Amino acid sequence: MPDYVNWFRHSTPYINTHRDCTFVVLLPGEAMAHPNFTNIIHDIMLLNSLGVRLVLVHGSRPQIEERLSLRGLPSRYHDDLRITDMDTLAAVMEAVGSLRISIEAQLCTAPSGQRSRLRVVSGNLVTAKPIGVVEGVDYHHTGEVRRIDRKAISQHLDEQAIVLLSSLGYSPTGEVFNLACEDVATSAAAALGADKLILLGPDIGILDGEGNLQRELRTTQATPLLQQLGHSLPGNLLQAACKACANGVRRSHIVSFAEDGAILTELFTRDGGGTLVSQEAFESIRPATIDDVAGLVELLRPLEEAGILVRRSREMLETEIGQFTLIERDGALIGCAALYPLEGSTAGELACVAIDPAYRHGQRGDQLLTHIERQCKQLGLDTLFVLTTRTAHWFRERGFVPSTVERLPAKRASLYNYQRNSKVFEKAL
């Protein structure tokens, strides 16, 4: 119970943040064929109950393959796109229709104790156009998204309905086209100005060549991984995530459809559980502002209580906030450091170096130190002092050498607390 209570308390900011946000969720056919899909449906229903506006896009590749096999028809591809002739289109429509009905049925099952069931809306919300003939290959009824009916989808979302889109699109002339589900998902996310695109894949997230999870990726970092993954499902998902970000979706998340609770872990914990793809850094170093004082108080309090840092009142922090540099991660402060230029000298003092205990193994202290040293050079400072009682080894490993109180500029030396008996170190810049 304590673990559950702790998790619930820490998830509260995310519950508030996600309410009234629009998420597009891609459910590839592989996800729907997996035993964990029932749990995914339950998590989607939970998101809806928490006020998240949901657009679901479902694929159907393995189900189409199964129907083609039963009909004795070959699967034909060119450049990783299915060639959809009339016989293949019949199998596609059968697979998509069956999946749509199955998803709607599961989403309409009210959980125990919930009297009203949620509404699911689907229909001709995606306008498509044919790909045509490429390199001499006729794709027939394989198409691409021409337009998403943003107005109609938004109206349904305003009425608390879940919108379900398939991998079929329709032309103004009444033709049906087989679309890549990734194309539908990214187009819908861009058209709706979605807050997030969530893509479900076979792995915990995006893995590198050695099997290591890539927790955060800038779109500029994805190119070598895209080459490595090729046209696999993870590769297609990463390509879709990058495309969505390029089209204005701030964050795309790739999580596992095989892991129970993967969507919730990704959305309601600070570190998530899968891969986050974004245009901008998920974690950044920036100057502090007056709005950060409350967060600084919380970050510094444990170290002050342990006697590692000198206690600073809220009023002092408000006065000195301009001296602080912060590490912010998804809206939360996880690190800080302060630089005080020392009057009457070309030296500065590094103070209040603090990292949240959960993030002390990611070289964030080094990042802050590098940033502070860069600040010193911009200010024309050539020496950096630090006073510490418990972390001398950390500073010595980073080029600081033992010094004395007498080496401090006179005004700072006069404020030295002999009762605290801090060790003095300095570093030439």
Side-chain angles (χ1 to χ4, degrees):
M1 181 63 74
D3 288 342
Y4 167 76
V5 171
N6 185 58
W7 181 88
F8 194 76
R9 285 171 176 162
H10 283 83
S11 69
T12 302
Y14 296 97
I15 293 173
N16 293 327
T17 298
H18 297 332
R19 186 177 293 115
D20 296 325
C21 288
T22 299
F23 295 175
V24 175
V25 183
L26 174 59
L27 307 169
E30 292 84 351
M32 287 174 283
H34 195 277
N36 189 51
F37 189 64
T38 300
N39 294 324
I40 293 172
I41 288 291
H42 290 163
D43 291 346
I44 287 170
M45 296 171 76
L46 175 59
L47 291 177
N48 175 262
S49 71
L50 292 174
V52 178
R53 296 154 56 92
L54 290 168
V55 177
L56 308 183
V57 180
H58 74 86
S60 53
R61 288 191 186 105
Q63 292 82 3
I64 292 172
E65 293 295 329
E66 182 180 351
R67 281 164 174 75
L68 289 175
S69 178
L70 290 173
R71 293 167 181 247
L73 297 173
S75 293
R76 294 190 296 149
Y77 288 85
H78 180 73
D79 196 24
D80 197 47
L81 284 176
R82 187 187 300 279
I83 298 172
T84 312
D85 57 23
M86 285 301 299
D87 290 335
T88 302
L89 181 62
V92 170
M93 293 170 66
E94 181 182 313
V96 170
S98 177
L99 288 170
R100 178 180 63 80
I101 293 169
S102 175
I103 294 171
E104 288 179 347
Q106 292 183 70
L107 286 171
C108 287
T109 303
S112 176
Q114 183 175 315
R115 294 183 179 180
S116 61
R117 64 184 184 181
L118 57 84
R119 292 193 307 112
V120 184
V121 176
S122 58
N124 58 337
L125 299 168
V126 179
T127 302
K129 60 183 179 180
I131 289 179
V133 179
V134 179
E135 298 176 346
V137 176
D138 188 350
Y139 281 93
H140 298 283
H141 287 273
T142 298
E144 56 189 2
V145 175
R146 180 178 180 181
R147 185 175 67 87
I148 299 291
D149 194 340
R150 180 189 59 79
K151 183 177 180 180
I153 292 174
S154 296
Q155 288 176 342
H156 292 309
L157 294 176
D158 289 342
E159 296 168 355
Q160 287 79 52
I162 290 179
V163 176
L164 178 61
L165 304 179
S166 73
S167 54
L168 292 180
Y170 310 92
S171 74
T173 57
E175 294 178 282
V176 180
F177 290 100
N178 179 28
L179 312 174
C181 59
E182 295 88 354
D183 185 19
V184 177
T186 54
S187 297
L192 294 167
D195 298 279
K196 293 183 184 293
L197 171 62
I198 301 170
L199 308 121
L200 275 68
D203 303 316
I204 189 173
I206 295 299
L207 308 179
D208 63 15
E210 298 178 353
N212 299 311
L213 173 64
Q214 303 300 291
R215 289 194 172 274
E216 302 157 27
L217 282 174
R218 303 282 290 278
T219 53
T220 53
Q221 299 171 321
T223 300
L225 286 169
L226 286 170
Q227 294 172 346
Q228 170 191 313
L229 295 169
H231 291 304
S232 63
L233 178 55
N236 291 339
L237 297 179
L238 180 56
Q239 182 71 57
C242 292
K243 180 181 177 183
C245 289
N247 288 328
V249 180
R250 289 187 61 242
R251 292 179 178 176
S252 295
H253 303 259
I254 301 173
V255 300
S256 170
F257 59 66
E259 180 183 347
D260 187 13
I263 294 177
L264 301 183
T265 300
E266 182 70 8
L267 293 177
F268 295 102
T269 62
R270 189 183 296 174
D271 291 328
T275 297
L276 167 69
V277 182
S278 65
Q279 289 279 40
E280 73 280 355
F282 179 57
E283 186 174 300
S284 62
I285 297 179
R286 64 170 178 81
T289 70
I290 194 67
D291 294 330
D292 296 312
V293 171
L296 268 176
V297 170
E298 292 300 314
L299 180 64
L300 297 175
R301 181 183 293 128
L303 294 174
E304 292 173 348
E305 292 175 348
I308 297 173
L309 293 180
V310 175
R311 189 177 297 275
R312 284 171 167 79
S313 66
R314 181 183 290 267
E315 291 74 18
M316 180 180 290
L317 288 173
E318 290 176 354
T319 302
E320 300 180 352
I321 194 67
Q323 312 303 130
F324 281 81
T325 296
L326 308 176
I327 298 181
E328 182 180 43
R329 182 180 179 84
D330 197 25
L333 302 187
I334 65 167
C336 70
L339 172 64
Y340 296 88
L342 298 177
E343 187 178 337
S345 73
T346 56
E349 180 181 354
L350 172 63
C352 265
V353 180
I355 304 294
D356 186 298
Y359 298 93
R360 288 180 183 167
H361 302 289
Q363 297 185 325
R364 292 175 177 84
D366 293 281
Q367 294 171 20
L368 280 171
L369 178 58
T370 298
H371 189 88
I372 292 294
E373 289 178 356
R374 192 180 300 122
Q375 277 187 287
C376 287
K377 292 176 182 178
Q378 291 172 350
L379 294 171
L381 307 180
D382 55 22
T383 305
L384 187 61
F385 286 95
V386 64
L387 280 67
T388 181
T389 58
R390 303 272 290 277
T391 56
H393 65 284
W394 191 87
F395 291 104
R396 295 200 67 171
E397 290 169 1
R398 284 152 183 82
F400 285 81
V401 297
S403 187
T404 63
V405 175
E406 290 72 26
R407 285 277 300 165
L408 291 169
K411 188 168 183 179
R412 177 63 183 91
S414 67
L415 299 174
Y416 180 80
N417 185 341
Y418 284 91
Q419 185 176 357
R420 184 171 171 80
N421 196 28
S422 298
K423 293 180 182 295
V424 181
F425 291 87
E426 67 177 278
K427 183 178 182 179
L429 302 176

